[in-house]
């Protein structure tokens, strides 16, 4: 659609456009569409896909159904997808016309929250276009839809609004199954709303004869009708083209060409050469084109388009003066193939559009960019790349991150082919592409792109570019129980390269390195990460930069995640939430609440934690951020496990795994495994998990909790000697070799339970008591609160009981029973009560 944007719905064009023939042969399909509209009274959201090959009559059946729907009182909205896929949300913009939200009004233009606001606004507009009557939203040529458009369609169909909406879309059948984005979108939509597919087949012989009769103006010879049917397999567009060919031939009995392409070419050759030339250039302009723009690029005879219209190749767009459209995409394809010197034509088109844009005309940057790209290699590569980058910025502003990534990828490809020595421009494009990929949730791709940017920055010797690329590579990415040595090395390289003066960039690097070193096995890295986070905090305060303070506080919280720093962590988490609210940074507000939930569970303030979990889940649903949707499901699984609601816990753990796998598959699998381990442990069915647990032991050698988990499993299956062998290194070190990290409390109480189970002696119990007793008023939790193993007083009491200190055990176990009762931790309450009864009995005997 070169030369301007659609500001009004094209429904009038659909309803008022010239009909080349009457509607035949699709009554059954029309009835199915009518039934779907009737079902709108019972089913608030539906999608019907009308699928078939090019020319099979998809547009024709939409036209007929639109007439019927309008006649029944439905509000009909209509939009088409741009075949060049240049404009984000194109069919929605066309369907809603001037009502489409102004993305400039959205706050935080590069955030998922802003995109959610846009999507909610579109859903509200569609729902608000009518009262009691259903809305029929027609989206034509869905196979050409870009990913942002598909995401918006999915959101609209998932909207909780109760007003009735039927979406009818057309798609070519072959492309329907070749587009991963479309395939994924349809799979996700189908999980939430009914999706019906109507496959259009070729017309029967009688219907072919009826179409041919209208094209020829008389009853066709029976042999001609049969030949047309055999040649076209009943495809209506091909039928009309072949029948028109027969009608226009001098004798009326011309032999049938071997292909429809030859039919179109044959009809084209009957036109004057200037008309042929004008139509070929028009094909380069797009499926629709402006007469004014066409005249700027090529001389157009006064009667050229009139002649083309009479030949059925193009037609005027109703209610849009001096704008024309091709009768069919196949017609445009054949005409474009006849264009001589396409690069020169595209360059002329691009320059005209650029002049219009500079003059304030309503021209899309995407149109200019694409024509400059199509002009290569003849055109100005630098100019084409600049426009692709500008188009990517515009797509980002429109919250169409996937389109931004596509434009930047084209720019990089053009740069590599035509200006391979411009390393600086390549580095900047790589950074922008990495951020676009990250925003669209494609983290593996983003990390590869940022690594390429790192290499380009090294080649340039540019410390700032290097730091930006390294931070992009690291980003918010953080794997549990794992040190990414590559990331650590990159961060250290960037810190060494950047000036030592205060800057937000430097404090970001320092804070990120403090996080990256968290699970390091080197003793020297513990004080180092504390020092790094302190330096980042001090720098942020000197700079008086709220965003810098948020970044520094995030790193500080990570660095302080040790049992002795709990109260300071709670304070930091609350400060992050407060400051993020002031900065309108929803993502960091969620991060602060994530920290706070973990801290509150550890502090045995579960009532407060439950309130935070509910609020966190609400905000995560609003923001639709995959990372936090994953964490929300995982928190709820943790609470179900703690309370012994095993079926619910299993379902929530599976949900969390499915949400987390696209974000970070390795960590999601480990978290899922940890929750399954506790679920099976509480049910006494650990043995089936042996292969998985051994796999985690091998994958996470620095995480002793998995070795403890395997030891429990071996004990449960009667392999005591093997269990004792795994446990012995911890006994030898008096359990001081358990890292004091986010997993310390759970790992240590596991060790206590193994000692109580007979794998240790009183000296082991005494050593563990000394470690755990200072924190008896807390809960034992895993890192990131994957699960909670109940109050620490439970395990301190059982150690005391094992050591023969029954009276001291009674006090601890009474505390554990009360803590479990208060929060409904039934499995742990049962263990605490059984242990308490034994302690009371022993205490009474001793008295």
């Amino acid at each position: 659609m070169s030369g301007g944007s659609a500001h009004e719905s094209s429904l009038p064009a659909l309803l008022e456009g010239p009909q080349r023939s009457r509607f035949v042969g699709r009554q059954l399909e029309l009835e199915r569409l009518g039934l779907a509209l009737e079902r709108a009274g019972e089913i608030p959201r539906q999608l019907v896909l009308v699928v078939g090959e090019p020319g099979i009559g998809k547009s024709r059946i939409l036209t007929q159904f639109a007439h019927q729907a309008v006649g029944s009182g439905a509000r009909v909205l209509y939009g088409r997808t741009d075949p060049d896929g240049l404009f984000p949300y194109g069919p929605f913009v066309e369907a809603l016309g001037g009502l489409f939200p102004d993305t400039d009004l959205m706050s935080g233009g590069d955030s998922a929250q802003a995109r959610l606001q846009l999507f909610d606004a579109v859903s509200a507009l569609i729902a608000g276009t009518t009262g009691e009557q259903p809305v029929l939203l027609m989206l034509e040529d869905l196979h050409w839809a870009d990913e942002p458009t598909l995401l918006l369609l999915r959101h609209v169909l998932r909207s909780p609004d109760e007003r009735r909406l039927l979406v009818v879309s057309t798609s070519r059948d072959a492309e329907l199954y070749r587009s991963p984005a479309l395939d994924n979108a349809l799979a996700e939509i189908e999980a939430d709303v009914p999706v019906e597919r109507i496959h259009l087949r070729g017309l029967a012989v009688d219907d072919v004869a009826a179409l041919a009769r209208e094209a020829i103006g008389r009853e066709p010879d029976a042999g001609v009708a049969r030949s047309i049917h055999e040649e076209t397999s009943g495809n209506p567009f091909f039928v009309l083209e072949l029948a028109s060919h027969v009608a226009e031939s001098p004798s009326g009995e011309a032999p049938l060409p071997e292909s429809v392409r030859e039919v179109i070419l044959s009809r084209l050759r009957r036109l004057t050469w200037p008309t042929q030339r004008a139509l070929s250039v028009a094909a380069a302009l797009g499926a629709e084109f402006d007469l004014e723009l066409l005249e700027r690029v090529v001389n157009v005879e006064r009667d050229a388009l009139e002649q083309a219209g009479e030949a059925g190749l193009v037609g005027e767009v109703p209610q849009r003066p001096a704008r024309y459209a091709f009768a069919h995409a196949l017609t445009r394809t054949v005409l474009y193939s006849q264009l001589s010197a396409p690069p020169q034509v595209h360059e002329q088109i691009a320059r005209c559009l650029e002049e219009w844009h500079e003059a304030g005309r309503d021209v899309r940057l995407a149109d200019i960019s694409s024509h400059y790209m199509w002009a290569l290699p003849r055109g100005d590569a630098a100019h084409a790349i600049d426009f692709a980058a500008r188009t990517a910025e515009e797509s980002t502003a429109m919250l169409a991150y996937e389109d931004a990534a596509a434009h930047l990828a084209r720019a990089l490809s053009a740069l590599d082919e035509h200006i391979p020595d411009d390393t600086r421009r390549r580095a900047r494009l790589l950074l922008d592409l990495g951020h676009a990929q990250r925003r669209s949730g494609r983290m593996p791709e983003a990390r590869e792109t940022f690594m390429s940017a790192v290499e380009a920055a090294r080649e340039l010797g540019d410390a700032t570019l290097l730091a930006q690329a390294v931070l992009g590579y690291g980003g918010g990415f953080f794997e549990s129980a794992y040190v990414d040595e590559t990331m650590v090395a990159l961060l250290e390289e960037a810190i060494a390269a950047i000036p030592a003066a205060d800057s937000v960039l430097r404090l970001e690097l320092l804070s990120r390195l403090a996080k990256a070193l968290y699970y390091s096995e080197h003793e020297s890295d513990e004080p180092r990460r504390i020092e790094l986070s302190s330096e980042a905090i001090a720098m942020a305060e000197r700079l008086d930069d709220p965003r810098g303070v948020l970044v520094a506080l995030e790193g500080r919280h990570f660095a302080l995640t040790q049992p002795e720093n709990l109260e300071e962590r709670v304070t930091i988490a609350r400060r992050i939430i407060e400051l993020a609210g002031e900065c309108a940074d929803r993502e960091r507000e969620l991060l602060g609440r994530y920290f706070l939930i973990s801290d509150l569970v550890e502090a045995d303030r579960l009532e407060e934690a439950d309130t935070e979990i509910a609020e966190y889940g609400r905000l995560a649903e609003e923001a639709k951020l995959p990372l936090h949707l994953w964490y929300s499901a995982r928190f709820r699984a943790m609470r179900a496990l703690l309370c012994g609601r095993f079926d619910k816990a299993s379902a929530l753990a599976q949900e969390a795994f499915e949400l987390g796998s696209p974000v970070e598959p390795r960590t999601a699998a480990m978290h899922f495994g940890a929750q399954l381990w506790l679920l099976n442990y509480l049910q006494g069915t650990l043995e089936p998990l042996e292969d998985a647990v051994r796999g985690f032991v091998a994958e996470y050698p620095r995480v002793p909790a998995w070795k403890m988990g395997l030891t429990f499993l071996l004990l449960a299956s009667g392999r005591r000697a093997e269990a004792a062998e795994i446990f012995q290194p911890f006994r030898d070190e008096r359990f001081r070799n358990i890292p004091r990290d986010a997993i310390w409390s759970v790992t240590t109480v596991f060790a206590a339970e193994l000692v109580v189970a007979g794998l240790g002696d009183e000296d082991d119990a005494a050593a563990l008591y000394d470690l755990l007793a200072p924190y008896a008023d807390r809960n034992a939790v895993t890192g990131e609160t994957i699960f909670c193993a109940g109050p620490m007083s439970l395990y301190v009491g059982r150690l005391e009981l094992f050591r023969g200190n029954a009276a001291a055990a009674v006090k601890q176990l009474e505390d554990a029973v009360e803590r479990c009762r208060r929060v409904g931790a039934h499995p742990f309450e049962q263990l605490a009560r059984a242990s308490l009864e034994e302690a009371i009995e022993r205490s009474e005997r001793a008295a």
Side-chain angles (χ1 to χ4, degrees):
M1 295 175 63
S2 298
S5 303
H7 289 294
E8 297 178 358
S9 172
S10 292
L11 180 62
L14 184 71
L15 296 178
E16 300 172 17
Q19 299 295 311
R20 289 184 57 192
S21 66
R22 68 183 181 89
F23 189 81
V24 296
R26 299 297 187 204
Q27 294 309 313
L28 181 60
E29 290 86 350
L30 261 182
E31 288 174 9
R32 289 178 64 184
L33 287 168
L35 287 173
L37 189 59
E38 290 177 14
R39 287 197 302 269
E42 302 173 359
I43 306 174
R45 295 286 186 274
Q46 301 174 78
L47 171 64
V48 178
L49 281 172
V50 179
V51 181
E53 65 182 11
I56 200 66
K58 300 183 294 295
S59 297
R60 191 177 299 275
I61 197 171
L62 245 65
T63 302
Q64 190 73 8
F65 183 50
H67 280 282
Q68 290 187 7
V70 168
S72 69
R75 176 67 186 271
V76 182
L77 305 173
Y78 172 81
R80 294 159 297 178
T81 301
D82 187 341
D84 297 318
L86 300 177
F87 192 65
Y89 318 119
F92 285 93
V93 173
E94 187 173 9
L96 292 170
L99 298 176
F100 197 86
D102 182 355
T103 56
D104 291 339
L105 300 179
M106 302 296 167
S107 61
D110 64 347
S111 69
Q113 176 66 14
R115 178 140 80 171
L116 177 69
Q117 291 173 342
L118 171 65
F119 285 10
D120 282 346
V122 173
S123 296
L125 278 174
I126 292 172
T129 55
T130 188
E132 295 299 319
Q133 294 301 316
V135 177
L136 171 59
L137 174 61
M138 292 182 161
L139 303 177
E140 194 158 5
D141 295 327
L142 198 63
H143 51 274
W144 282 322
D146 59 354
E147 197 165 346
T149 297
L150 294 172
L151 290 171
L152 177 53
L153 173 61
R154 184 182 67 184
H155 185 88
V156 166
L157 283 166
R158 285 177 166 179
S159 172
D161 194 286
E162 290 300 318
R163 279 172 283 196
R164 295 170 287 166
L165 171 66
L166 170 62
V167 179
V168 178
S169 295
T170 64
S171 175
R172 294 181 180 177
D173 49 3
E175 283 84 348
L176 181 65
Y177 304 106
R178 290 177 186 165
S179 167
L182 179 55
D183 188 53
N184 291 337
L186 291 175
E188 292 179 357
I189 290 169
E190 209 155 4
D192 294 312
V193 300
V195 177
E196 181 180 1
R197 288 170 170 81
I198 297 178
H199 290 269
L200 299 186
R201 311 297 182 188
L203 298 176
V205 174
D206 290 346
D207 293 324
V208 167
L211 282 181
R213 180 171 58 250
E214 291 199 6
I216 298 173
R218 56 179 172 77
E219 195 69 35
D221 180 86
V224 170
R226 281 195 303 273
S227 296
I228 291 175
H229 182 266
E230 291 173 2
E231 178 67 25
T232 64
S233 299
N235 181 298
F237 176 74
F238 299 167
V239 168
L240 289 168
E241 292 300 316
L242 288 173
S244 297
H245 172 75
V246 170
E248 292 168 3
S249 63
S251 65
E253 298 178 354
L256 294 176
E258 294 181 2
S259 70
V260 171
R261 180 180 184 277
E262 291 185 16
V263 171
I264 296 173
L265 287 175
S266 175
R267 298 176 66 198
L268 182 64
R269 293 186 191 108
R270 298 190 185 109
L271 305 176
T272 64
W273 166 245
T275 299
Q276 294 181 43
R277 170 66 177 169
L279 287 178
S280 296
V281 172
L285 292 174
E288 288 188 11
F289 57 93
D290 286 313
L291 178 58
E292 181 184 356
L293 180 59
L294 180 62
E295 289 174 336
R296 288 283 302 273
V297 179
V298 65
N299 291 327
V300 180
E301 290 187 352
R302 183 181 300 273
D303 62 346
L305 291 181
E306 182 178 343
Q307 186 184 36
E310 291 173 354
L313 298 172
V314 299
E316 289 188 79
V317 177
Q319 299 186 343
R320 301 188 69 187
R323 191 163 183 86
Y324 291 78
F326 284 96
H328 199 279
L330 293 175
T331 303
R332 179 195 171 201
T333 299
V334 173
L335 285 164
Y336 183 77
S337 70
Q338 300 304 297
L339 180 63
S340 60
Q344 291 92 322
V345 171
H346 283 296
E347 186 172 30
Q348 287 179 270
I349 294 169
R351 294 198 182 282
C352 290
L353 290 174
E354 184 180 358
E355 289 175 12
W356 282 5
H357 180 74
E358 291 174 352
R361 297 276 293 271
D362 186 10
V363 177
R364 300 169 181 165
L365 286 176
D367 287 330
I368 305 172
S369 171
S370 293
H371 284 293
Y372 272 127
M373 282 291 177
W374 291 329
L376 298 177
R378 180 186 184 280
D380 184 339
H383 208 54
I385 292 164
D386 285 342
F387 263 98
R390 288 174 61 184
T391 304
E393 290 178 11
E394 183 181 68
S395 296
T396 298
M398 295 184 69
L399 317 178
Y401 310 129
E402 297 79 7
D403 283 5
H407 288 298
L408 289 163
R410 292 188 195 109
L412 276 164
S413 178
L415 186 75
D416 290 343
E417 184 174 354
H418 303 290
I419 320 176
D421 296 332
D422 195 342
T423 306
R424 183 166 299 279
R425 180 177 290 192
R426 187 170 193 275
R428 296 304 320 177
L429 288 171
L430 285 167
L431 282 174
D432 291 342
L433 175 58
H435 287 301
Q437 290 167 334
R438 178 182 59 77
R439 288 168 184 144
S440 58
R442 297 168 177 167
M443 277 306 302
E445 292 178 38
R447 296 191 86 197
E448 288 183 14
T449 300
F450 282 123
M451 184 56 79
S452 296
V454 165
E455 293 166 359
R458 285 172 178 159
E459 185 179 340
L460 291 165
D462 190 316
T464 299
L465 277 176
L466 176 65
Q468 292 170 340
V470 168
L471 286 169
Y473 179 87
F477 181 86
F478 187 80
E479 284 195 66
S480 294
Y482 171 74
V483 176
D484 187 333
E485 301 291 356
T486 300
M487 189 184 301
V488 170
L490 287 171
L491 288 163
E492 290 176 333
E493 178 186 355
I495 290 170
I498 201 168
D502 289 355
S503 68
V504 172
L505 193 58
R506 184 173 182 81
L507 77 84
E508 282 188 275
L509 292 167
L510 295 172
S511 182
R512 188 63 185 86
L513 182 56
K515 289 171 58 179
L517 291 171
Y518 182 74
Y519 285 105
S520 173
E521 63 182 351
H522 304 296
E523 290 185 8
S524 61
D525 282 338
E526 181 179 328
R528 186 183 177 204
R529 70 172 185 258
I530 299 294
E531 180 184 346
L532 286 165
S533 68
S534 297
E535 186 180 349
I537 289 285
M539 191 177 296
E541 290 173 349
R542 290 194 298 270
L543 290 168
D544 193 24
D545 183 297
R547 179 177 172 275
V549 173
L550 277 171
V551 171
L553 288 172
E554 177 186 344
R556 183 68 172 171
H557 191 282
F558 267 95
L560 293 177
T561 305
Q562 296 168 304
E564 57 268 28
N565 301 318
L566 178 58
E567 289 307 316
E568 187 176 354
R569 281 187 273 129
V570 171
T571 300
I572 291 172
R574 292 195 186 281
R575 177 60 180 145
I576 291 173
I577 295 169
E578 178 186 6
L579 187 56
E582 293 173 3
C583 297
D585 188 335
R586 177 58 59 84
E587 190 162 3
R588 280 206 160 81
E589 180 186 349
L590 278 163
L591 182 65
R593 293 186 184 279
Y594 172 84
F595 288 154
L596 184 59
I597 289 167
S598 296
D599 296 338
L600 291 174
V601 172
E602 183 181 346
D604 195 28
R605 293 155 64 177
L606 275 156
E607 296 88 347
E608 294 177 60
D610 286 339
T611 300
E612 286 295 332
I613 288 170
E615 180 65 6
Y616 181 90
R618 184 186 70 80
L619 294 174
E621 282 293 335
E622 282 185 2
K624 293 293 188 292
L625 293 169
L627 177 72
H628 296 285
L629 289 170
W630 164 29
Y631 289 163
S632 176
R634 202 193 64 209
F635 280 136
R636 288 180 284 126
M638 175 273 297
R639 285 298 279 124
L641 275 170
L642 182 62
C643 294
R645 299 194 297 270
F646 297 137
D647 288 345
K648 184 174 183 179
S650 178
L652 285 169
Q654 180 67 42
E655 179 186 343
F657 173 64
E658 291 172 358
L659 288 167
S661 293
V663 179
E664 183 17 67
R666 176 176 173 169
T667 298
M670 193 267 283
H671 289 186
F672 181 51
Q675 291 189 328
L676 280 187
W677 185 93
L678 183 63
L679 179 66
N680 285 49
Y681 171 73
L682 294 174
Q683 294 178 306
T685 56
L686 278 176
E687 290 87 345
L689 297 181
E690 182 170 349
D691 288 345
V693 172
R694 287 189 182 278
F696 287 123
V697 169
E699 188 173 2
Y700 295 97
R702 301 173 183 175
V703 182
W706 281 115
K707 293 179 181 177
M708 301 292 181
L710 178 58
T711 306
F712 274 108
L713 189 151
L714 294 170
L715 272 181
S717 61
R719 289 174 278 176
R720 179 171 288 270
E722 189 178 350
E725 182 180 354
I726 294 173
F727 194 56
Q728 189 61 44
F730 299 102
R731 298 183 64 202
D732 292 343
E733 295 292 329
R734 285 291 182 259
F735 309 100
R736 290 187 299 271
N737 53 349
I738 298 175
R740 292 181 68 82
D741 56 23
I743 314 174
W744 176 84
S745 64
V746 157
T747 309
T748 308
V749 301
F750 282 177
E753 284 296 281
L754 289 168
V755 167
V756 170
L759 287 187
D761 55 26
E762 288 191 19
D763 289 340
D764 296 322
L768 286 164
Y769 175 87
D770 290 342
L771 291 170
L772 293 173
Y775 309 108
D777 61 344
R778 300 185 186 177
N779 282 320
V781 295
T782 64
E784 303 178 79
T785 318
I786 303 165
F787 66 72
C788 174
M792 301 274 269
S793 55
L794 167 62
Y795 304 98
V796 173
R798 283 171 60 78
L799 284 170
E800 287 286 67
L801 187 59
F802 180 81
R803 297 168 67 195
N805 300 329
V810 168
K811 183 179 179 180
Q812 293 288 348
L813 292 168
E814 285 178 339
D815 178 82
V817 168
E818 176 56 28
R819 290 177 186 275
C820 290
R821 185 202 61 76
R822 191 187 78 242
V823 299
H826 301 302
F828 301 99
E829 183 181 354
Q830 291 174 8
L831 177 60
R833 287 189 182 279
S835 300
L836 177 59
E837 289 174 6
E838 183 180 351
I840 291 172
E841 183 180 342
R842 287 191 191 181
S843 180
E844 290 175 347
R845 284 203 307 266

